[in-house]
Amino acid sequence: MRNSLLIFSFFLLMAGSVFSQQPGDCKIQFEPQFNSERLKPGYFYNLQNGDSLQITTLKFYVSGIELLWDSKIVYKESNSYHLIDASENSSMLISLAGTASIKYNQIQFCIGIDSLTNFSGARGGHLDPTQGMYWTWQNGYINFKMEGRSNKCNSHNNEFQFHLGGFQYPFNSLQPVTLKVTQKELITIELDIEKLISEINFTENDHIMSPGKEAMVLAGKLPKICSITEN
């Protein structure tokens, strides 16, 4: 009897995994880019301004993923929190179960974690503080983290650190992004990190480590570096 129950339970688990993800379901591939190629963490890039730049860490949260048809929401991912890490390829691919038969022409998501989730305190999974993306209960989650080196920085070892976050007024740095979609089964969303870097004057600012005006200004540029690549 016990063996029969175990076999039945195993069948239910397998059935759930099979039917939750169907052929034709939407997959989202995030592609941080530099020099029109996928970003290589740890690689030194030589820029036109004479700067030698290395990005050692690039991590950010994607949350609240929705699919829309003519600006009307037709799909909303439940428990929608994803930590994208440029050094882990598997983290950059997100599958949306149950979307194969849904008609949509836009995708909407946020870069960062919403205020309600922040107010509820640290959680598990991608939101676990051991991921290195959580400050304190007062400041909440780091929405976007970029670290590296630039010979324009006057800091120790020419290091820069930009930890962008904040969820309380007037420094709520959550950034909504809406993009048009034509290709459905695989949506490739590029983030032009080189464009973001061009907005930073490393000789004047090589770190942001807490919520505030500087974090808000740089976070506000994140939606502008996002685009969809159609093959």
Side-chain angles (χ1 to χ4, degrees):
M1 181 67 178
R2 183 178 179 182
N3 289 338
S4 297
L5 288 173
L6 288 173
I7 293 171
F8 182 68
S9 299
F10 176 77
F11 174 79
L12 288 177
L13 288 171
M14 291 298 294
S17 64
V18 170
F19 293 115
S20 63
Q21 190 70 41
Q22 297 291 329
D25 279 346
C26 173
K27 293 181 176 61
I28 308 166
Q29 177 74 43
F30 283 89
E31 289 272 2
Q33 297 273 313
F34 211 104
N35 284 347
S36 301
E37 296 179 349
R38 179 183 282 195
L39 175 74
K40 302 173 185 175
Y43 180 84
F44 276 95
Y45 294 94
N46 295 315
L47 307 184
Q48 292 182 351
N49 63 2
D51 190 5
S52 176
L53 180 136
Q54 178 191 45
I55 295 175
T56 55
T57 300
L58 181 70
K59 299 168 72 174
F60 57 93
Y61 277 111
V62 169
S63 64
I65 297 176
E66 297 173 337
L67 301 177
L68 302 88
W69 175 256
D70 292 343
S71 299
K72 181 181 179 181
I73 297 172
V74 294
Y75 173 88
K76 186 172 184 177
E77 186 186 34
S78 60
N79 195 30
S80 185
Y81 307 103
H82 304 273
L83 180 57
I84 310 299
D85 186 341
S87 65
E88 295 184 11
N89 289 337
S90 61
S91 75
M92 294 188 281
L93 182 64
I94 299 171
S95 297
L96 304 181
T99 55
S101 61
I102 295 176
K103 186 178 181 181
Y104 55 94
N105 54 18
Q106 292 174 299
I107 184 170
Q108 188 167 278
F109 59 92
C110 290
I111 298 177
I113 301 299
D114 62 275
S115 294
L116 183 61
T117 302
N118 272 288
F119 274 119
S120 67
R123 301 188 182 184
H126 286 188
L127 297 176
D128 195 297
T130 59
Q131 301 284 357
M133 295 292 284
Y134 188 75
W135 278 316
T136 63
W137 67 268
Q138 186 174 12
N139 288 337
Y141 285 93
I142 300 169
N143 293 335
F144 183 94
K145 177 187 284 190
M146 182 171 66
E147 299 177 347
R149 295 179 177 85
S150 165
N151 61 11
K152 299 291 185 181
C153 293
N154 297 315
S155 59
H156 178 66
N157 290 332
N158 302 119
E159 294 177 346
F160 61 81
Q161 294 179 307
F162 296 99
H163 296 186
L164 310 181
F167 65 96
Q168 301 189 63
Y169 178 86
F171 303 127
N172 185 349
S173 64
L174 185 74
Q175 298 297 319
V177 179
T178 303
L179 300 169
K180 292 183 179 180
V181 175
T182 57
Q183 192 165 299
K184 301 300 193 299
E185 289 193 23
L186 179 61
I187 302 172
T188 302
I189 300 177
E190 293 185 353
L191 290 88
D192 190 345
I193 303 302
E194 185 176 11
K195 184 177 181 180
L196 180 65
I197 290 291
S198 70
E199 300 283 349
I200 303 171
N201 186 338
F202 287 110
T203 59
E204 295 181 359
N205 186 11
D206 53 44
H207 71 279
I208 298 174
M209 301 295 288
S210 61
K213 290 182 179 180
E214 289 183 327
M216 288 293 291
V217 170
L218 192 55
K221 301 181 185 300
L222 296 177
K224 300 174 185 178
I225 69 170
C226 297
S227 64
I228 285 184
T229 299
E230 302 288 3
N231 296 323

